[in-house]
Amino acid sequence: MASDFMVFLDAGHGGLDPDGQYTTAPSKMFRHRNGTFHDGPLFYEGVWNRTLTNRVANRLQHLQIPYRIVSHEFLDISLNYRVEVANWYYRNHRKGIYISNHANASSTHTARGFEVYTSPGRTQADVLAEMHWNNVRDLLENRIDYRSSLSDGDHDREARFFVLVRTLMPAMLVEHLFFDNAEDARLLMDPEIVERFAEAQVRSIVAWMNT
Ligand SMILES: [Zn+2]
């Protein structure tokens, strides 16, 4: 069933380079007052995005579902390049879906919760996003908060994010809680929470392949 299918995985932003330097803008990191994160009080969104994406990739490998990680191990390569890579393989190799993994931040550092984004309008991506919303609800239940927009009849939010509007294939961008909120950041550092987010993503991929 996987012969003509590929998952394009995108871990948002960049990570830590071999010298331990964070490669992404300061807005994609946060210094917490208490707790230990990726580097003492510092939470690096790009590092978290890679942790989750690698767990999803690992599961896909075991299930023999083809995937291609379009982000770099640590460089913050351009969105244009990530999308171009996915689109090339989509045109020339296999059809598929694009999933961009992120964690969120707010100006007040008080916002919390989980969100899924698709491009505006009803597309195939809305079907994928709704499946994913339901899988996350099943696996994380009331351990996390949820931020939905029911304006168009499903739970995803809509935005003209580059990776959503420039990809040729159905694409969703997942905001896994708010890394600049103390409670959400603690949840993001909980290995079981990460495990459940990864499992939900794989279940959404499998469900999509079965549609
Ligand atoms: Zn992000």
Side-chain angles (χ1 to χ4, degrees):
M1 87 180 168
S3 63
D4 190 35
F5 180 78
M6 176 166 268
V7 185
F8 301 101
L9 292 173
D10 178 9
H13 317 298
L16 292 173
D17 72 14
D19 296 328
Q21 299 298 309
Y22 191 46
T23 61
T24 302
S27 62
K28 306 304 175 190
M29 58 188 256
F30 189 74
R31 183 178 293 276
H32 287 276
R33 280 199 209 145
N34 302 297
T36 303
F37 301 92
H38 300 112
D39 181 7
L42 286 174
F43 192 112
Y44 297 124
E45 185 206 334
V47 171
W48 191 88
N49 297 341
R50 280 158 179 72
T51 300
L52 176 74
T53 299
N54 291 339
R55 276 173 191 267
V56 171
N58 193 266
R59 279 177 158 74
L60 294 178
Q61 182 100 42
H62 282 289
L63 293 169
Q64 296 184 299
I65 296 172
Y67 66 91
R68 167 80 206 245
I69 298 178
V70 301
S71 44
H72 187 270
E73 204 182 319
F74 58 84
L75 291 176
D76 188 356
I77 50 176
S78 72
L79 298 180
N80 193 55
Y81 182 72
R82 299 176 201 222
V83 168
E84 203 278 319
V85 168
N87 285 349
W88 192 92
Y89 284 93
Y90 182 82
R91 279 199 199 93
N92 297 291
H93 185 48
R94 286 163 191 253
K95 303 302 171 202
I97 56 175
Y98 190 104
I99 302 175
S100 182
N101 285 315
H102 288 258
N104 218 337
S106 72
S107 55
T108 57
H109 315 307
T110 54
R112 298 187 64 184
F114 173 82
E115 296 173 335
V116 181
Y117 285 88
T118 62
S119 59
R122 284 292 304 171
T123 66
Q124 287 293 301
D126 293 86
V127 177
L128 173 65
E130 190 67 6
M131 283 176 182
H132 190 49
W133 180 273
N134 290 326
N135 284 321
V136 168
R137 281 220 85 115
D138 284 350
L139 282 161
L140 286 125
E141 297 180 308
N142 57 7
R143 293 169 189 228
I144 62 169
D145 289 348
Y146 297 86
R147 294 159 60 92
S148 64
S149 158
L150 286 167
S151 59
D152 65 344
D154 51 32
H155 291 91
D156 63 80
R157 291 167 167 248
E158 304 200 323
R160 298 192 56 79
F161 293 145
F162 190 91
V163 299
L164 299 179
V165 296
R166 298 292 285 275
T167 38
L168 297 173
M169 67 293 300
M172 69 175 175
L173 184 146
V174 188
E175 291 282 9
H176 298 87
L177 313 184
F178 283 72
F179 69 84
D180 65 341
N181 172 273
E183 284 94 345
D184 268 11
R186 261 196 291 280
L187 289 171
L188 289 171
M189 295 307 288
D190 179 339
E192 189 185 325
I193 296 284
V194 177
E195 205 63 18
R196 285 172 181 265
F197 275 133
E199 176 64 18
Q201 202 160 114
V202 172
R203 289 188 189 182
S204 301
I205 291 163
V206 171
W208 173 266
M209 292 169 71
N210 288 333
T211 57

